[in-house]
Amino acid sequence: MLKTIQADPFDLQFDPVTTALIIIDMQRDFVEPGGFGELLGNDVSLLRSTIEPCQQVLEAARKAGIMVVHTREGHRPDLSDCPPAKLTRGGKTFIGTPGPCGRILVRGEKGHDIIPELYPIAGEPVIDKPGKGAFYATDLHLILQTRGIKTLLFCGVTTEVCVTTTLREANDRGYECIVLEDCVGSYFPEFQKYALMMIKAQGAIFGWVSNSSKAIAALSA
Ligand code: C5J
């Protein structure tokens, strides 16, 4: 049965059977002290406000039986999938170096994993991605196509980097994309504001913007 979510720039109908919740990079390295985000000089507390609304949407999605997909940004332990241009920023190397939660952004390390509050359960695919976009060099599109997914609800971090990159990739692949504004976070409040404005501008040029309570209301209607 079709459902309607209140969103900007206009309300959108979706079919729960062809809808997936995608939770981008809610990893310790971005959200907890001592990780990649903090080493880059960011205040991780700015991202932590997304955890509770994300938990509520995740619970509603699981109850409604919609597909849930998680992503993690990170690299192989030998860093063979990390381009030099990403490895070194401003003459400094962060990725692969030891941090309080293990080697920064390296698969298998504690910091690379998803925070306990949003941990995947059996049956929820986890996409390990070497880039900012979750479609680049992964099997995400194949997994979504196999389930017939057409609509994506977006949560995660950071809004202007991995969320937006993935959303633009998804839009170009034909998915309808809805970002839940209180479930996505940025270290820079002004980037958050303008990233969301860009998505819904020009009649939803990249997608729609809604929030956790509207998504929960739609999922449980
Ligand atoms: C960043 C991400 N910000 N997950 N990654 O480097 O947005």
Side-chain angles (χ1 to χ4, degrees):
M1 194 181 70
L2 287 183
K3 301 199 182 249
T4 302
I5 183 167
Q6 290 180 351
D8 283 327
F10 52 88
D11 296 352
L12 185 71
Q13 282 199 323
F14 67 96
D15 181 346
V17 176
T18 58
T19 298
L21 171 67
I22 179 159
I23 305 181
I24 305 286
D25 301 2
M26 289 297 282
Q27 296 163 253
R28 294 188 135 125
D29 263 334
F30 295 114
V31 180
E32 291 184 352
F36 183 55
E38 194 175 74
L39 278 181
L40 289 173
N42 300 303
D43 174 4
V44 293
S45 69
L46 285 165
L47 301 190
R48 299 193 62 80
S49 63
T50 63
I51 297 175
E52 204 181 315
C54 278
Q55 277 181 306
Q56 289 165 359
V57 171
L58 178 58
E59 196 187 314
R62 284 173 178 163
K63 259 197 206 140
I66 75 162
M67 185 185 197
V68 177
V69 179
H70 305 258
T71 72
R72 300 187 293 200
E73 179 180 352
H75 298 278
R76 294 166 179 260
D78 64 4
L79 304 182
S80 55
D81 59 350
C82 185
K86 181 178 182 187
L87 194 57
T88 307
R89 278 288 188 265
K92 293 184 187 162
T93 300
F94 297 110
I95 297 171
T97 59
C101 297
R103 293 176 67 208
I104 302 292
L105 280 193
V106 168
R107 294 178 191 163
E109 301 286 343
K110 187 176 170 195
H112 172 263
D113 209 356
I114 293 169
I115 57 170
E117 295 92 327
L118 297 170
Y119 213 74
I121 59 172
E124 295 176 351
V126 177
I127 305 294
D128 277 320
K129 63 190 181 68
K132 304 302 183 195
F135 288 87
Y136 169 67
T138 73
D139 53 6
L140 175 60
H141 190 50
L142 175 63
I143 288 173
L144 296 176
Q145 291 294 294
T146 302
R147 280 276 294 253
I149 298 298
K150 297 190 168 117
T151 307
L152 295 172
L153 290 168
F154 278 82
C155 294
V157 297
T158 60
T159 309
E160 76 283 7
V161 184
C162 291
V163 172
T164 305
T165 305
T166 302
L167 182 141
R168 290 177 183 211
E169 290 179 325
N171 181 57
D172 278 346
R173 285 166 176 78
Y175 298 96
E176 289 187 314
C177 302
I178 308 161
V179 186
L180 306 180
E181 61 185 349
D182 52 337
C183 298
V184 294
S186 172
Y187 302 119
F188 306 95
E190 69 275 30
F191 291 175
Q192 167 92 359
K193 178 178 161 195
Y194 289 113
L196 294 173
M197 281 171 71
M198 281 186 230
I199 290 164
K200 64 183 175 180
Q202 302 178 76
I205 195 139
F206 296 118
W208 286 257
V209 177
S210 186
N211 63 33
S212 59
S213 31
K214 289 173 180 169
I216 292 164
L219 287 170
S220 47

